[in-house]
Amino acid sequence: MRLDIQMFAVPFRKTSKTRKRMRRTHYKISESQTTTCPKCGATIKPHRVCKECGTYKGKEVITKEETAA
């Protein structure tokens, strides 16, 4: 009679809080990137339509109506 038992690798010691946190220091969120609109110069997220002038890659996608003050 043969037992079908699988053996798994088990750590010899518990990972301390300090060692665990030092390993996780590289998992932080990076800063959000921004670019400037080539037409109006507004700060926008990359690969998005400009909210100020409504252009994307030099083409007008959204028509913005300017209000006279």
Side-chain angles (χ1 to χ4, degrees):
M1 183 167 133
R2 186 172 177 184
L3 296 176
D4 191 23
I5 299 175
Q6 292 180 340
M7 301 298 273
F8 296 100
V10 179
F12 186 70
R13 293 178 192 261
K14 177 181 178 181
T15 307
S16 68
K17 292 176 186 174
T18 305
R19 184 167 292 281
K20 177 175 59 175
R21 290 172 184 164
M22 285 190 335
R23 184 179 66 241
R24 292 178 181 175
T25 57
H26 305 288
Y27 298 160
K28 53 191 160 205
I29 298 173
S30 62
E31 242 180 72
S32 63
Q33 301 294 323
T34 57
T35 58
T36 56
C37 177
K39 186 175 178 184
C40 67
T43 305
I44 56 170
K45 290 184 179 181
H47 309 288
R48 307 283 196 294
V49 176
C50 179
K51 293 180 181 178
E52 301 299 321
C53 61
T55 59
Y56 178 69
K57 290 188 177 182
K59 298 177 183 176
E60 188 172 344
V61 181
I62 301 170
T63 56
K64 288 283 190 173
E65 298 176 13
E66 295 182 25
T67 56

